[in-house]
Amino acid sequence: MRICIINPNTAAAMTDVIAAAARSVARPDTEILAVTSSMGPASIESHYDEALAVPGLLRVIAEHPDHDGYLVACFGDPGLDAARELATAPVMGIAEAAMHLAAPLGRGFSVVTTLHRTIGRAADLVDRYGFSRQCLGIHACDIPVLDLETNPATAEILEKSCREALQADGSDVIVLGCAGMADLAHRISDAIGTPVIDGVGAGVGMLSSMAAMGLRTGTASGEFATPPPKIYSGSLAGFGDSART
Amino acid sequence: MRICIINPNTAAAMTDVIAAAARSVARPDTEILAVTSSMGPASIESHYDEALAVPGLLRVIAEHPDHDGYLVACFGDPGLDAARELATAPVMGIAEAAMHLAAPLGRGFSVVTTLHRTIGRAADLVDRYGFSRQCLGIHACDIPVLDLETNPATAEILEKSCREALQADGSDVIVLGCAGMADLAHRISDAIGTPVIDGVGAGVGMLSSMAAMGLRTGTASGEFATPPPKIYSGSLAGFGDSART
Amino acid sequence: MRICIINPNTAAAMTDVIAAAARSVARPDTEILAVTSSMGPASIESHYDEALAVPGLLRVIAEHPDHDGYLVACFGDPGLDAARELATAPVMGIAEAAMHLAAPLGRGFSVVTTLHRTIGRAADLVDRYGFSRQCLGIHACDIPVLDLETNPATAEILEKSCREALQADGSDVIVLGCAGMADLAHRISDAIGTPVIDGVGAGVGMLSSMAAMGLRTGTASGEFATPPPKIYSGSLAGFGDSART
Amino acid sequence: MRICIINPNTAAAMTDVIAAAARSVARPDTEILAVTSSMGPASIESHYDEALAVPGLLRVIAEHPDHDGYLVACFGDPGLDAARELATAPVMGIAEAAMHLAAPLGRGFSVVTTLHRTIGRAADLVDRYGFSRQCLGIHACDIPVLDLETNPATAEILEKSCREALQADGSDVIVLGCAGMADLAHRISDAIGTPVIDGVGAGVGMLSSMAAMGLRTGTASGEFATPPPKIYSGSLAGFGDSART
Amino acid sequence: MRICIINPNTAAAMTDVIAAAARSVARPDTEILAVTSSMGPASIESHYDEALAVPGLLRVIAEHPDHDGYLVACFGDPGLDAARELATAPVMGIAEAAMHLAAPLGRGFSVVTTLHRTIGRAADLVDRYGFSRQCLGIHACDIPVLDLETNPATAEILEKSCREALQADGSDVIVLGCAGMADLAHRISDAIGTPVIDGVGAGVGMLSSMAAMGLRTGTASGEFATPPPKIYSGSLAGFGDSART
Amino acid sequence: MRICIINPNTAAAMTDVIAAAARSVARPDTEILAVTSSMGPASIESHYDEALAVPGLLRVIAEHPDHDGYLVACFGDPGLDAARELATAPVMGIAEAAMHLAAPLGRGFSVVTTLHRTIGRAADLVDRYGFSRQCLGIHACDIPVLDLETNPATAEILEKSCREALQADGSDVIVLGCAGMADLAHRISDAIGTPVIDGVGAGVGMLSSMAAMGLRTGTASGEFATPPPKIYSGSLAGFGDSART
């Protein structure tokens, strides 16, 4: 079983963190490939960055066919629907996966993300996935994405944000709101005595489960069938060929 | 990793179907234990049956501590909250697991269950889990639970119901609405060319993912902490001891 | 007109409180029968207790046919759907009844219940009955169920909780969240100058209204028809006969 | 106990039907006063009629203080919030009362009203009261309000509409959508074998229950306190005095 | 293009404020007619006032046919549906218009209205128009409607309330909750650096857009067709003729 | 007043249709600039196309600062949130604008779009904007986007689809689901006697209204502030400078 994880920003160091987190929870029979996007923003901290990360992630999927699942490793879950049209194997985002795994683990969960300005996007995803009742709050620890690995106080600040979220929301579970936090889930969970969910691990788990069951994205309604052929122009001319992987 | 699956009715033949389905998708490092309830109804086809299946399933959990996950193998998801208080490992129902796996696989899913009278319960679960937008219809194939294995026309009737549901609802995915259908998911999926989800496999997958990530039911809000000690009377006197497994 | 009230825990003293509250508001032509469950938990303070109270309450209904309405006197409304299949007369829970009576009395209501851990269950009932907009908050006074009658400070603590709930939620009405509080509704209402609703009285009122109008649970969709006959095993073997009362 | 029922249109014959239906289900200790509005439309079949029926119904309430409950006998529930500010006793509309009584009697209810153009108003009330999940359909029998009593085919047409609604919606209960149908509920219920709810009876039942419990509209949030004094002009100058009854 | 604005209270000074605000934003080719109601309350501060303002506003519409749009200049949006049946041109309320314009301007908006007791009505409108997710809070500045123009501290108090709302709700936009605040939108927006929306300007903009596109209220479903002819009695006898303008 | 309309696909002929529709309804004092994207797909008929149209539309906005409003002329409303961060003037999508204008014009609206596979995206937008109750159905006429102008039967097929939608949904208003249909709104409205809304006209109207009121996208919550500076790589390297227009 082969799972392809796409880091849709161009920060290779973050891809390493993601790959390690993925491998630590993967099934023994699962091979993890983690790929860094080659075009677009260095980190994703706005709707603008997120929109412009999508071409790069679609490129990665097109260049890596023959996998049993694709995981988009950015908590904004950029480009999911487009990726589902392109890939024949299931596609998940890490926010989506984390929330699906969090919901059955208690009365409700709190999300703790990076910058305050990304809270709105997380709220939109909560609504879209149907977790309005289960998500009891979304909070920011106010550490920029690329500082997560370099700021020596990251773990401490994040732990504090998680404790406060738990208290403010009366929740039972924490969902970490950035792929770059993947290595901290266990440490914080141990510290605060509450399940803390990293979306990378959650996504690997859910995609592996789908793969083991032989499941692919359904195309019966036509929405997720291969996109109709189309002429593409300008610097995106290379995207005209959207044959499913 | 050890997953305990509880068949909350007393039909041992159905437990065998469930165990086989579970093992066919389990991680290589996962041991599946499937246990038949020793008290209550022979099959679950009403709210009455479902309510009276709960003591038996709680008994199974209490008698099988030290597992990494518990799966309740009845599509009505009976007794989930009570089981979560009792077990220290995560607990899922097969309706819950199937819906969580179905949602990311397309625009929407249809449920195909056994008797018409169980549609209401499935609808309640859809609402509770947050899948009102993703679940596009709930249908009955009108085969009683215990006839699923013995009726030679089961596969044919069920396949027909699935086709009709897909057409009527414009959905991309089928969710099978009974643990006793677990052995038919692949066959129907192949026949109709659409992902067909069996909740037993889905539950094993999600619980294994939680276990691999070290996740347990959260108790921070207190709701799922061990129940307060209490005197129990009558034929349920033995349930007074509810220490978590 | 005969209304049967079931106390689904085994505490007979609480049944007396319930019966007195019911009789104080019943129609002159209504006979109240209050029955204590003979099996299961002494009080209901967890999902576990609640699930295990259901067999006892179904037993009471089966043993008391020929009533015009059945009221389940526990604020978790355990076993309502099963009871509706079993009884030919209407069945209500006290949470359900209290919320239906509270909604038309103002902009919104606050629930004040016993232990903090039961808040989640009340929230589920609010959603299920459709009162998400009307219920503005759920609060706990943190008095265990069986201490309500014996703790000399109960009235004072509960009154304080009600005042705080009203203030915090901006609500117009208080719903008391436990059958054991039935005798305190008037006293607290007088003290805080706000309608305070006891579900026992509300349930008697609504069931009497249904009875006067000749209404029974509808069975047209089949969901609440008599459960199919079934073999029951173990200590629940006696429940196999589920003919409607 | 005294309940005042206001027919907000000026058709006195309809008031007689309403009064009879109310008395047939009232508590033995309850006195029913049914009053016809003296100003506004002869029947209510549009938003325009409904809006212009409100002054007349407020006038009736102001002229009949000292009652224990007020029931607005038009299925559009006109002027409820204004009436609640004016009256000290609880106020209900017949749509509101019928829906509250219908919800606990099955999986869902269907509304059968008079003219097609009133379906939208009924849908708004369903949403407002929180019964979006319980109301499975709203249907019109296309008999004008004032023809209900005079058209010899009313019962037959209405029965047919009820049967069709039940079938189309998969519901368990019928709610009749006009006060002028109050005398037909039993006959239709007997014919179709399903609970059929007349809002007049339901309203008398719920208001009597509130009165027996000593409940009044809550004013803690201020919304339903007596309106601030105000100068009124023109043909409505007489409404300046809005002291609560 | 001709837009008719109805001030549904009888305070002519407020009509002047409204007219000025409307003209300051109207298209160059648009004529604004602002009319004061001649019957009913001097200001609208309760459900009672609002209900009794509707006859007067319907009278204004009937007396001013041949306009391309009608704007009801009271934030409770009284009588909208009735007005839509009566007028052939589109009808909007200022709360409705303000919310439609506010939603696309940010993550969410806060409403700041006059008296605390009117918050409930605003909340009902938010639900009705579909802005439950976009409206993040409703606040009162506690200035009576008719004091808005005469109280020298109005601007200061209102500005303070807007700042507090923005902070408390985390919103991006302010909606002013009274037609009498129309002249203060720019001043407060400049002071707090956030878009502040006056519903009068918003309504003129939306109705002009509809008129420029040749749009009228749709009558295909029949709900907003001309009301059926009807006898009207008492002091409202003159309303019997409801032919659409 | 200057409004910039972006056609996010590369079909210049469609931009001409859009510009003409916009100018026909614009205020006399409004200048319309319609710009065709220079990169990405020739038409937008899938999630894949839509995602890849966003860089081109952001480029257009960056290259055309100093406008008073930006309209994204594709019914999938691609890149709205990113565009709002980039532009200082308000940004709307044509689906968003059409729905806001449709809602006040009747009980509900039907959307008629191009290909069946785009229905899902329209449904997501309906939910996001809050129009779940107002949108009564979404239908496809099954004409590819670029065939709308060239297929001689377009008007006839589209008119038929609109009639069927109106009938099936019981709606009062039609919303056309593609910018390429902008020239057909009046013709179809005249034919079917129902308001038919083209999102281009609706968007010009709403943006002009905002501009006349001096409104800009709110940035108080930070979500729509200028994106943080960032290194961009690959063929999207030029997008690193995201200073607001």
Side-chain angles (χ1 to χ4, degrees):
Chain A
M1 191 182 305
R2 305 170 68 213
I3 305 290
C4 175
I5 307 181
I6 306 107
N7 175 8
N9 70 33
T10 60
M14 200 161 137
T15 312
D16 295 342
V17 170
I18 291 167
R23 288 187 186 114
S24 74
V25 302
R27 290 167 61 117
D29 54 357
T30 298
E31 180 185 337
I32 300 291
L33 176 70
V35 185
T36 309
S37 175
S38 62
M39 61 193 285
S43 68
I44 299 177
E45 297 177 322
S46 64
H47 297 294
Y48 182 87
D49 292 339
E50 193 186 302
L52 290 163
V54 176
L57 91 84
L58 295 176
R59 172 68 45 91
V60 171
I61 292 176
E63 291 176 353
H64 295 83
D66 300 324
H67 281 74
D68 299 296
Y70 294 88
L71 180 63
V72 179
C74 165
F75 202 80
D77 288 359
L80 274 197
D81 282 338
R84 281 179 180 138
E85 291 175 325
L86 185 62
T88 46
V91 180
M92 290 196 75
I94 60 169
E96 185 183 37
M99 293 182 199
H100 279 285
L101 228 57
L105 286 171
R107 168 58 47 184
F109 60 82
S110 300
V111 175
V112 179
T113 182
T114 53
L115 299 189
H116 188 84
R117 68 180 297 153
T118 66
I119 288 178
R121 174 66 183 173
D124 281 344
L125 295 178
V126 165
D127 278 334
R128 179 174 167 180
Y129 300 142
F131 297 121
S132 311
R133 279 214 292 263
Q134 288 87 347
C135 177
L136 304 180
I138 307 175
H139 309 260
C141 70
D142 281 320
I143 305 177
V145 171
L146 296 184
D147 292 4
L148 286 170
E149 304 306 320
T150 56
N151 183 337
T154 291
E156 190 184 348
I157 293 171
L158 192 53
E159 182 189 318
K160 184 160 173 287
S161 294
C162 291
R163 277 189 204 280
E164 289 169 357
L166 215 58
Q167 183 70 23
D169 300 344
S171 56
D172 284 326
V173 181
I174 294 287
V175 166
L176 294 182
C178 181
M181 299 171 175
D183 52 339
L184 295 170
H186 272 100
R187 174 170 165 180
I188 296 174
S189 179
D190 289 348
I192 67 175
T194 294
V196 175
I197 299 186
D198 151 49
V200 174
V204 168
M206 290 194 71
L207 287 169
S208 303
S209 302
M210 291 170 179
M213 296 169 74
L215 296 169
R216 299 188 159 205
T217 301
T219 58
S221 76
E223 181 173 350
F224 295 109
T226 305
K230 193 81 39 101
I231 292 172
Y232 271 66
S233 311
S235 57
L236 296 175
F239 284 88
D241 178 13
S242 62
R244 291 182 71 147
T245 62
Chain B
M1 191 182 302
R2 304 170 70 213
I3 304 290
C4 176
I5 307 181
I6 306 107
N7 175 8
N9 71 33
T10 59
M14 200 162 138
T15 312
D16 294 341
V17 170
I18 291 166
R23 289 188 185 113
S24 73
V25 302
R27 292 167 61 117
D29 54 357
T30 298
E31 181 185 339
I32 299 291
L33 177 70
V35 186
T36 309
S37 175
S38 62
M39 60 192 287
S43 68
I44 299 177
E45 298 178 322
S46 63
H47 298 294
Y48 182 87
D49 291 339
E50 192 186 303
L52 290 163
V54 176
L57 90 85
L58 294 176
R59 172 66 47 89
V60 172
I61 291 176
E63 291 176 352
H64 297 81
D66 299 325
H67 281 73
D68 300 295
Y70 295 88
L71 181 63
V72 179
C74 166
F75 202 80
D77 288 359
L80 275 198
D81 282 339
R84 282 178 180 138
E85 290 175 325
L86 185 62
T88 46
V91 180
M92 290 196 76
I94 61 169
E96 185 184 36
M99 293 182 199
H100 280 285
L101 228 56
L105 286 170
R107 168 58 47 185
F109 60 83
S110 299
V111 175
V112 179
T113 182
T114 53
L115 298 188
H116 186 86
R117 68 180 298 153
T118 67
I119 288 178
R121 175 65 183 171
D124 281 344
L125 295 178
V126 165
D127 278 333
R128 178 174 167 180
Y129 300 142
F131 298 121
S132 311
R133 281 214 291 263
Q134 289 88 346
C135 177
L136 305 180
I138 307 175
H139 308 260
C141 69
D142 282 320
I143 306 176
V145 171
L146 296 184
D147 291 4
L148 285 171
E149 305 306 321
T150 57
N151 184 337
T154 291
E156 188 184 349
I157 293 171
L158 192 54
E159 182 189 317
K160 183 160 173 289
S161 293
C162 291
R163 278 189 204 279
E164 290 169 356
L166 215 58
Q167 184 69 24
D169 300 344
S171 55
D172 284 325
V173 181
I174 294 287
V175 166
L176 295 182
C178 180
M181 301 170 174
D183 53 339
L184 294 171
H186 273 100
R187 173 170 166 180
I188 296 175
S189 178
D190 289 347
I192 67 176
T194 294
V196 175
I197 299 184
D198 151 50
V200 174
V204 168
M206 288 194 71
L207 288 169
S208 303
S209 303
M210 291 169 179
M213 295 169 74
L215 297 169
R216 301 188 158 202
T217 300
T219 57
S221 76
E223 181 173 350
F224 295 109
T226 305
K230 193 83 38 102
I231 292 170
Y232 272 66
S233 310
S235 57
L236 296 175
F239 285 88
D241 177 13
S242 63
R244 291 181 71 144
T245 62
Chain C
M1 191 183 301
R2 303 171 70 214
I3 305 290
C4 176
I5 307 180
I6 307 106
N7 175 8
N9 71 33
T10 60
M14 200 161 138
T15 311
D16 294 341
V17 170
I18 292 166
R23 287 187 188 114
S24 73
V25 301
R27 290 167 63 117
D29 55 357
T30 298
E31 181 185 337
I32 300 292
L33 178 69
V35 185
T36 309
S37 176
S38 62
M39 60 192 287
S43 68
I44 299 177
E45 297 178 321
S46 63
H47 298 293
Y48 182 87
D49 292 339
E50 193 185 304
L52 291 162
V54 176
L57 90 84
L58 294 175
R59 173 68 46 91
V60 172
I61 292 176
E63 291 175 352
H64 296 82
D66 299 326
H67 280 74
D68 300 296
Y70 295 87
L71 180 64
V72 179
C74 165
F75 203 80
D77 287 0
L80 275 198
D81 282 338
R84 282 178 180 137
E85 291 175 325
L86 185 63
T88 47
V91 180
M92 291 196 74
I94 60 168
E96 185 183 38
M99 292 181 199
H100 280 284
L101 228 56
L105 286 170
R107 168 58 48 184
F109 59 83
S110 300
V111 176
V112 179
T113 183
T114 53
L115 299 189
H116 187 86
R117 68 180 297 154
T118 67
I119 288 178
R121 174 66 182 172
D124 281 344
L125 295 178
V126 165
D127 278 334
R128 177 174 169 181
Y129 300 141
F131 297 121
S132 311
R133 279 214 291 263
Q134 288 88 346
C135 177
L136 304 180
I138 308 175
H139 308 260
C141 68
D142 281 319
I143 306 177
V145 171
L146 296 184
D147 292 4
L148 285 171
E149 305 304 322
T150 57
N151 184 337
T154 291
E156 190 185 350
I157 293 172
L158 192 54
E159 183 189 316
K160 184 161 171 288
S161 294
C162 290
R163 278 189 204 279
E164 290 169 356
L166 215 58
Q167 183 70 24
D169 300 345
S171 55
D172 284 327
V173 182
I174 294 287
V175 166
L176 295 181
C178 180
M181 300 170 175
D183 51 339
L184 296 170
H186 273 100
R187 174 171 164 179
I188 296 174
S189 178
D190 289 347
I192 67 176
T194 293
V196 174
I197 299 184
D198 150 49
V200 174
V204 168
M206 289 193 72
L207 288 169
S208 302
S209 302
M210 292 169 177
M213 296 170 73
L215 298 168
R216 298 187 160 205
T217 301
T219 57
S221 76
E223 180 173 350
F224 296 108
T226 305
K230 192 83 37 105
I231 293 170
Y232 271 66
S233 310
S235 56
L236 297 175
F239 285 88
D241 178 13
S242 63
R244 291 182 72 148
T245 61
Chain D
M1 191 181 302
R2 304 171 69 213
I3 304 289
C4 176
I5 308 181
I6 306 107
N7 175 8
N9 70 33
T10 59
M14 200 163 139
T15 312
D16 294 342
V17 171
I18 291 166
R23 289 189 185 112
S24 74
V25 301
R27 292 167 61 117
D29 54 357
T30 298
E31 181 185 338
I32 300 291
L33 176 70
V35 185
T36 309
S37 175
S38 62
M39 60 192 286
S43 68
I44 299 177
E45 297 178 321
S46 63
H47 297 294
Y48 182 87
D49 292 340
E50 193 186 304
L52 290 163
V54 176
L57 91 83
L58 295 176
R59 172 68 47 90
V60 172
I61 292 176
E63 292 176 351
H64 295 82
D66 298 325
H67 281 75
D68 300 295
Y70 294 87
L71 180 63
V72 179
C74 166
F75 202 79
D77 288 359
L80 275 198
D81 282 338
R84 282 177 180 139
E85 291 175 325
L86 185 61
T88 46
V91 180
M92 291 197 74
I94 62 169
E96 184 183 40
M99 294 182 198
H100 280 285
L101 227 58
L105 286 170
R107 168 58 48 184
F109 59 83
S110 299
V111 175
V112 179
T113 182
T114 53
L115 299 189
H116 187 84
R117 68 180 296 154
T118 66
I119 289 178
R121 174 67 183 172
D124 281 343
L125 295 178
V126 165
D127 279 333
R128 177 174 168 180
Y129 301 142
F131 297 120
S132 311
R133 281 213 292 263
Q134 288 88 346
C135 177
L136 304 180
I138 307 175
H139 308 260
C141 69
D142 282 319
I143 306 176
V145 171
L146 296 183
D147 291 4
L148 286 171
E149 304 307 320
T150 57
N151 184 336
T154 291
E156 190 184 348
I157 293 172
L158 191 54
E159 182 189 319
K160 184 161 173 289
S161 294
C162 291
R163 278 190 204 279
E164 290 169 358
L166 215 58
Q167 185 68 23
D169 300 345
S171 54
D172 284 326
V173 180
I174 294 287
V175 166
L176 295 181
C178 180
M181 300 170 174
D183 52 339
L184 295 170
H186 273 100
R187 175 172 165 178
I188 296 174
S189 179
D190 288 348
I192 67 176
T194 294
V196 175
I197 298 185
D198 150 49
V200 174
V204 168
M206 290 194 70
L207 288 169
S208 303
S209 302
M210 291 169 178
M213 296 169 74
L215 297 169
R216 298 188 160 203
T217 301
T219 57
S221 77
E223 180 172 352
F224 295 110
T226 304
K230 193 84 35 104
I231 292 171
Y232 271 66
S233 310
S235 58
L236 297 175
F239 284 89
D241 177 13
S242 63
R244 292 182 71 144
T245 63
Chain E
M1 190 181 302
R2 302 170 70 214
I3 304 290
C4 176
I5 307 180
I6 306 106
N7 175 7
N9 70 33
T10 60
M14 200 162 137
T15 311
D16 295 341
V17 170
I18 291 166
R23 289 188 185 113
S24 72
V25 301
R27 292 167 61 117
D29 55 357
T30 298
E31 181 185 338
I32 299 291
L33 177 69
V35 185
T36 309
S37 176
S38 62
M39 61 193 286
S43 68
I44 300 177
E45 298 178 322
S46 64
H47 298 293
Y48 182 87
D49 291 339
E50 192 186 303
L52 290 163
V54 176
L57 89 86
L58 295 175
R59 172 68 47 90
V60 171
I61 293 177
E63 291 176 352
H64 296 81
D66 300 324
H67 280 74
D68 299 295
Y70 295 88
L71 180 63
V72 179
C74 165
F75 202 80
D77 288 0
L80 275 197
D81 282 339
R84 281 177 180 139
E85 291 175 325
L86 184 62
T88 47
V91 180
M92 291 197 74
I94 60 168
E96 186 183 37
M99 293 182 198
H100 279 284
L101 227 58
L105 286 171
R107 168 57 48 183
F109 60 82
S110 299
V111 176
V112 179
T113 182
T114 53
L115 299 189
H116 187 86
R117 68 181 296 153
T118 67
I119 288 178
R121 175 64 183 174
D124 280 344
L125 295 178
V126 165
D127 279 334
R128 178 174 167 181
Y129 300 142
F131 298 121
S132 311
R133 280 214 291 262
Q134 288 89 345
C135 178
L136 304 180
I138 307 175
H139 308 261
C141 69
D142 282 319
I143 305 177
V145 171
L146 296 184
D147 292 3
L148 286 171
E149 305 305 321
T150 57
N151 184 337
T154 291
E156 189 184 350
I157 292 171
L158 192 54
E159 182 189 318
K160 183 161 173 289
S161 294
C162 291
R163 279 190 203 280
E164 289 169 356
L166 216 58
Q167 184 69 24
D169 300 344
S171 54
D172 284 327
V173 182
I174 294 288
V175 166
L176 295 182
C178 180
M181 299 170 176
D183 51 340
L184 295 171
H186 273 100
R187 174 171 165 179
I188 296 175
S189 179
D190 288 346
I192 67 176
T194 294
V196 174
I197 299 185
D198 151 49
V200 174
V204 168
M206 290 194 72
L207 287 170
S208 302
S209 302
M210 292 169 177
M213 297 170 73
L215 297 168
R216 298 187 160 204
T217 301
T219 57
S221 76
E223 181 174 349
F224 295 108
T226 304
K230 193 82 39 100
I231 293 170
Y232 271 67
S233 310
S235 57
L236 298 175
F239 285 88
D241 178 12
S242 64
R244 290 183 72 148
T245 61
Chain F
M1 190 183 303
R2 304 171 69 214
I3 304 289
C4 175
I5 307 181
I6 306 107
N7 175 7
N9 70 33
T10 60
M14 200 162 138
T15 312
D16 295 341
V17 170
I18 291 167
R23 287 185 188 116
S24 74
V25 302
R27 290 167 62 118
D29 55 357
T30 298
E31 182 185 338
I32 299 291
L33 176 72
V35 186
T36 309
S37 175
S38 62
M39 61 192 286
S43 68
I44 300 177
E45 298 178 322
S46 63
H47 298 294
Y48 181 86
D49 292 339
E50 192 185 303
L52 291 163
V54 177
L57 90 85
L58 294 176
R59 172 67 46 91
V60 171
I61 292 176
E63 291 175 353
H64 296 80
D66 299 324
H67 280 74
D68 299 297
Y70 295 87
L71 180 64
V72 179
C74 165
F75 202 79
D77 288 0
L80 275 198
D81 282 338
R84 281 178 180 139
E85 291 174 325
L86 185 62
T88 46
V91 181
M92 292 197 74
I94 61 168
E96 184 184 38
M99 293 181 198
H100 279 285
L101 228 56
L105 286 171
R107 168 59 47 185
F109 59 84
S110 300
V111 176
V112 179
T113 182
T114 53
L115 299 188
H116 187 85
R117 68 180 297 154
T118 67
I119 288 177
R121 174 65 183 172
D124 281 344
L125 295 178
V126 165
D127 279 334
R128 178 174 168 181
Y129 300 142
F131 297 121
S132 311
R133 279 212 293 263
Q134 288 88 346
C135 177
L136 304 180
I138 307 176
H139 308 262
C141 68
D142 281 319
I143 306 176
V145 171
L146 296 184
D147 292 3
L148 286 171
E149 305 306 321
T150 57
N151 184 337
T154 291
E156 190 184 349
I157 293 171
L158 192 54
E159 183 188 319
K160 183 160 173 290
S161 293
C162 290
R163 277 189 204 280
E164 290 169 357
L166 215 58
Q167 184 70 25
D169 301 344
S171 54
D172 284 325
V173 181
I174 293 288
V175 166
L176 295 181
C178 180
M181 300 170 174
D183 52 339
L184 296 169
H186 273 100
R187 175 173 164 178
I188 296 174
S189 179
D190 289 347
I192 67 177
T194 294
V196 175
I197 299 185
D198 151 48
V200 174
V204 168
M206 290 193 71
L207 287 169
S208 303
S209 302
M210 291 169 179
M213 295 169 74
L215 297 169
R216 299 187 158 205
T217 301
T219 57
S221 77
E223 180 172 350
F224 295 109
T226 305
K230 193 80 41 100
I231 292 171
Y232 271 67
S233 311
S235 58
L236 296 175
F239 284 88
D241 177 14
S242 62
R244 291 182 71 146
T245 64

